[in-house]
């Protein structure tokens, strides 16, 4: 797998201007392989490869210009950022199997560490702070290893008044079979999962932690937190089932790239969850 194949690669305005100003053979190739319309992006080849991915699977831009000349999305991938009034949270996205390995093999409980207070303002937003506090309470439950993961999930469902159906695979399998996927090979894989889950308790905790950290604090109210908590539980269950037919890190990558990195797919799943939880 490669993030240089199959993904639309947008180019930020600053890098676009820099590329357009280059007076060299690589500059000419850049101008011929970037779309004119905004947002600017690389023109993918017929096989959906980036035009700067060479026959050895290496980036021609890094080899020619250096890594510091990459556009933002190439330089930052697979990292993500969540912006709040008084802080910015940075994490690693599961759409890369190397990240899946890191998350699955982490032994200590996941913690958010504030390195630098670099939010937009020093003035806290009360509603935002309440949402972050709720998210942190969820993280405390998820990482409480004095209880089994089954007990922790039950606690979360009861605390947020979520029906068990909101995280059951059997309820969502027809929906997953109707989604659009980046790769045609994904549909049969997503349609054939069963309720058999193979992640260990520790692996399940770390994957659930990932989804909680990434999504819950972006909610606008407690109603949305309930929906995204159900999404976090459902996503962890799906990865655990998907991993029966492939390496666990690949199951993380496949689910992440096809579902969570597709905003339309996430919206469709959230709508179904809201129906089930009565919102």
């Amino acid at each position: 797998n490669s993030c240089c194949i199959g993904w639309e690669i947008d180019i930020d305005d600053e890098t676009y201007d820099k590329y357009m100003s280059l007076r060299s053979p690589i500059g000419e190739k850049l101008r011929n392989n970037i779309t004119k319309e905004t947002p600017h992006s690389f023109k993918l080849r017929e096989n959906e490869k980036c035009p700067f991915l060479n026959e050895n699977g290496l980036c021609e831009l890094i080899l020619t210009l250096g890594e510091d000349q990459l556009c933002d999305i190439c330089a930052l991938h697979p990292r993500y950022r969540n912006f709040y009034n008084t802080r910015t949270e940075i994490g690693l996205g599961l759409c890369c199997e190397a990240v899946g390995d890191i998350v699955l093999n982490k032994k200590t409980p996941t913690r958010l560490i504030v390195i630098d207070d670099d939010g937009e303002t020093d003035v806290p937003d009360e509603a935002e702070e309440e949402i972050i506090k709720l998210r942190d309470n969820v993280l405390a439950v998820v990482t409480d290893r004095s209880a089994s993961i089954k007990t922790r999930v039950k606690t979360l469902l009861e605390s947020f008044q979520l029906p068990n159906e909101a995280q059951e695979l059997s309820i969502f399998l027809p929906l997953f079979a109707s989604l659009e996927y980046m790769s045609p090979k994904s549909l049969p894989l997503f349609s054939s999962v069963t309720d058999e889950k193979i992640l260990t308790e520790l692996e399940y905790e770390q994957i659930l932690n990932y989804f909680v950290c990434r999504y819950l604090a972006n909610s606008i109210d407690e109603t949305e937190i309930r929906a995204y908590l159900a999404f976090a539980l459902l996503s962890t269950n799906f990865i655990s089932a998907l991993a029966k037919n492939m390496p666990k890190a690949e199951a993380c990558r496949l689910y992440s790239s096809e579902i969570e990195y597709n905003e339309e797919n996430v919206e469709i799943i959230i709508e179904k969850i809201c129906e089930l939880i009565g919102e």
Side-chain angles (χ1 to χ4, degrees):
N1 296 295
S2 172
C3 54
C4 306
I5 304 173
W7 295 81
E8 183 175 303
I9 308 170
D10 290 339
I11 304 168
D12 56 283
D13 291 341
E14 183 178 344
T15 305
Y16 174 78
D17 292 340
K18 188 190 307 178
Y19 287 167
M20 292 301 102
S21 67
L22 289 174
R23 295 292 175 258
S24 60
I26 193 69
E28 187 63 27
K29 184 174 180 179
L30 278 161
R31 284 185 285 278
N32 291 332
N33 285 280
I34 294 177
T35 61
K36 302 300 181 184
E37 63 274 8
T38 55
H40 302 291
S41 62
F42 290 116
K43 298 175 183 176
L44 301 183
R45 299 171 188 164
E46 288 185 9
N47 54 10
E48 295 197 312
K49 286 186 176 182
C50 173
F52 295 94
L53 184 67
N54 70 18
E55 64 278 4
N56 297 316
L58 299 175
C59 175
E60 187 179 345
L61 294 178
I62 292 178
L63 294 173
T64 306
L65 301 174
E67 189 174 351
D68 60 345
Q69 297 302 306
L70 291 176
C71 58
D72 286 349
I73 197 167
C74 292
L76 296 174
H77 184 84
R79 299 162 188 84
Y80 70 87
R81 281 169 167 74
N82 289 334
F83 299 96
Y84 308 103
N85 260 28
T86 59
R87 66 200 283 178
T88 299
E89 294 178 356
I90 304 172
L92 295 171
L94 276 181
C95 60
C96 169
E97 57 265 48
V99 175
D101 273 329
I102 292 172
V103 175
L104 289 166
N105 292 306
K106 193 172 186 295
K107 305 304 181 187
T108 56
T110 295
R111 293 282 184 267
L112 285 165
I113 302 171
V114 179
I115 298 174
D116 188 23
D117 192 4
D118 62 349
E120 295 178 2
T121 174
D122 291 331
V123 181
D125 179 284
E126 288 187 19
E128 185 178 272
E129 292 299 312
E130 281 299 312
I131 293 294
I132 291 174
K133 183 178 178 181
L134 268 175
R135 188 276 308 274
D136 291 348
N137 290 341
V138 172
L139 287 175
V141 173
V142 174
T143 57
D144 180 11
R145 295 181 181 174
S146 66
S148 68
I149 200 69
K150 184 176 180 180
T151 298
R152 287 178 256 175
V153 169
K154 183 179 179 182
T155 298
L156 292 173
L157 293 173
E158 291 175 350
S159 298
F160 287 85
Q161 298 179 319
L162 292 172
N164 196 54
E165 291 79 7
Q167 52 123 25
E168 281 189 356
L169 293 185
S170 57
I171 301 293
F172 286 87
L173 282 180
L175 181 65
F176 276 94
S178 70
L179 299 176
E180 290 191 10
Y181 295 99
M182 184 167 59
S183 169
K185 296 178 182 179
S186 296
L187 178 56
L189 291 171
F190 278 78
S191 302
S192 62
V193 301
T194 66
D195 271 325
E196 185 179 352
K197 305 175 186 70
I198 68 166
L199 292 183
T200 67
E201 286 215 344
L202 181 54
E203 290 168 341
Y204 191 99
E205 172 194 313
Q206 300 291 21
I207 298 298
L208 180 55
N209 244 321
Y210 163 80
F211 286 106
V212 169
C213 285
R214 181 158 190 177
Y215 291 101
L216 263 65
N218 286 334
S219 305
I220 60 173
D221 53 30
E222 191 166 347
T223 295
E224 215 170 74
I225 271 209
R226 294 176 69 221
Y228 277 104
L229 176 56
F231 175 72
L233 290 164
L234 174 68
S235 297
T236 308
N237 288 336
F238 209 103
I239 288 173
S240 189
L242 202 57
K244 181 186 176 185
N245 300 317
M246 64 189 72
K248 293 175 180 178
E250 171 60 12
C252 292
R253 184 208 65 80
L254 184 63
Y255 181 89
S256 180
S257 61
E258 292 287 18
I259 302 300
E260 71 161 336
Y261 275 77
N262 185 322
E263 291 183 5
E264 289 185 10
N265 283 347
V266 172
E267 287 176 8
I268 291 169
I269 295 169
I270 292 295
E271 285 179 12
K272 176 66 174 178
I273 288 172
C274 288
E275 288 177 18
L276 292 170
I277 66 179
E279 298 293 353

